[in-house]
Amino acid sequence: MTIYLPELSANDYGFPSPYEALEDPNGLLAFGGDLNPNRIYNAYKNGIFPWYGPGEPILWWSPSPRAVFNPKTFKPAKSVQKFQRKQQYLVSINHATKQVIDLCAATRPPEQTWIHAEMREAYGELADLGKCHSVEVWQNEQLVGGLYGIQMGQIFCGESMFSTQTNASKIALWYFCRHFAKHDGQLIDCQVMNPHLASLGAFELPRDEFINSLLSFRDKAIKEACFKRQWLSISITDESESV
C-alpha cells in the first residue's frame, strides 16, 4: 500500500491540520522537518507529536481517539496507597529531568523505544527552555521512577514514564495528578491507549473532543508555582478516605 504524506518545510514550523491524519496507520500526519524545540512545541500546541525509530525519517502523529487523564478525578488504586504508606517514596518535580528522560529510554528494549539519542537531546533542550518537565520518585536517594512531558497552559502532554522499583511510576502519576489539579491543571494527554494506561484509569477522547480541550486550555495560565523545582507531598490518609 502506498502512503502519501506531506513533507514539512525546513524553513517554518507549520503543520497540516490534525484532521488530515491518516486512519491507517492511525494518526500518521506528516514527515520531515527537524526536532528544533520550537517546532516540537508548536506540534504539541496543535495536538501533534514526533514518533519514529533510529535511522527513520521524522514522523509526526495525531491519533484518534486520544488517551488522557483528568487530574481532578484520578484515583490511585488502594493497593498503591497502602504500598506508599509503608514504603514512603519521596517525590519531586524538576530535580532530574534529563536523567528521567534517559531512564525512560534505558529501561525499555531497544526495539521498543522511540526515545533515541536525537529525541533525548531535543527534549533536553525543551527542558532547558522550561517547557519540558519531570516528576521523580526516590528511594534512599536513588531515582527509581518518574515521568516527563511537555506543559502548555493547563495541559500536560505526557511523553513517557519508567519504574525500576514496585509502583514507582504509579506513584509519580498519582502525586503529579494531585499537584497539577491543585495548580489549575485540566488535562493530561498520554497520546495512545495501552493496557498499562487503561489499568491506571486513562480514558479516550475522540479527536474533536481532544482538540476542543486543547484549544480551550493550552493558552490558559497554570499557577506559577506548579513547575518550580520542589518536593511533593500528599495526605495518604485523606486519599484513602476519599476513594
Side-chain angles (χ1 to χ4, degrees):
M1 180 179 66
T2 302
I3 295 175
Y4 296 96
L5 288 176
E7 182 176 5
L8 299 185
S9 168
N11 300 318
D12 68 66
Y13 300 143
F15 286 89
S17 165
Y19 290 94
E20 296 177 16
L22 300 178
E23 294 183 3
D24 184 19
N26 179 19
L28 183 56
L29 178 66
F31 75 99
D34 56 26
L35 294 181
N36 182 287
N38 292 319
R39 187 190 300 274
I40 295 176
Y41 194 72
N42 190 47
Y44 280 94
K45 288 193 72 173
N46 289 280
I48 301 161
F49 57 88
W51 185 38
Y52 68 104
E56 297 177 353
I58 302 173
L59 300 177
W60 301 89
W61 302 77
S62 185
S64 181
R66 197 75 163 228
V68 300
F69 289 103
N70 182 338
K72 296 182 178 180
T73 60
F74 177 84
K75 293 183 178 180
K78 290 183 179 179
S79 61
V80 175
Q81 296 180 50
K82 182 179 179 181
F83 177 90
Q84 177 64 347
R85 280 198 299 272
K86 180 179 180 180
Q87 191 64 45
Q88 292 294 301
Y89 288 152
L90 298 178
V91 184
S92 60
I93 281 186
N94 284 337
H95 277 58
T97 302
K98 293 181 182 179
Q99 192 177 351
V100 168
I101 295 171
D102 287 344
L103 283 167
C104 283
T107 53
R108 289 171 171 77
E111 70 274 9
Q112 294 183 11
T113 184
W114 67 100
I115 314 171
H116 43 78
E118 292 177 339
M119 293 282 273
R120 294 198 299 274
E121 181 179 356
Y123 285 82
E125 291 179 10
L126 283 160
D128 291 338
L129 293 170
K131 295 178 179 180
C132 178
H133 304 283
S134 63
V135 179
E136 305 91 13
V137 178
W138 306 86
Q139 182 183 41
N140 300 325
E141 300 185 355
Q142 181 178 357
L143 183 59
V144 296
L147 59 87
Y148 76 97
I150 304 297
Q151 177 259 333
M152 59 188 70
Q154 296 175 351
I155 289 184
F156 185 81
C157 302
E159 268 300 300
S160 188
M161 60 175 62
F162 83 96
S163 183
T164 61
Q165 296 294 328
T166 302
N167 288 326
S169 62
K170 296 177 182 178
I171 289 167
L173 178 63
W174 167 23
Y175 275 57
F176 178 65
C177 281
R178 292 293 175 270
H179 178 77
F180 193 47
K182 186 171 70 174
H183 288 79
D184 294 336
Q186 300 294 325
L187 193 70
I188 298 173
D189 169 31
C190 40
Q191 299 177 352
V192 180
M193 185 66 80
N194 61 43
H196 179 62
L197 292 174
S199 73
L200 297 176
F203 59 96
E204 292 183 320
L205 292 179
R207 177 174 282 115
D208 279 344
E209 290 187 33
F210 175 75
I211 295 297
N212 286 339
S213 295
L214 180 66
L215 295 176
S216 295
F217 300 130
R218 69 183 186 183
D219 297 319
K220 291 184 178 179
I222 200 83
K223 289 182 179 177
E224 183 178 356
C226 186
F227 289 102
K228 288 186 176 179
R229 191 171 185 265
Q230 61 193 285
W231 293 93
L232 304 185
S233 63
I234 282 178
S235 174
I236 300 177
T237 300
D238 291 345
E239 287 284 319
S240 298
E241 291 174 352
S242 68
V243 175

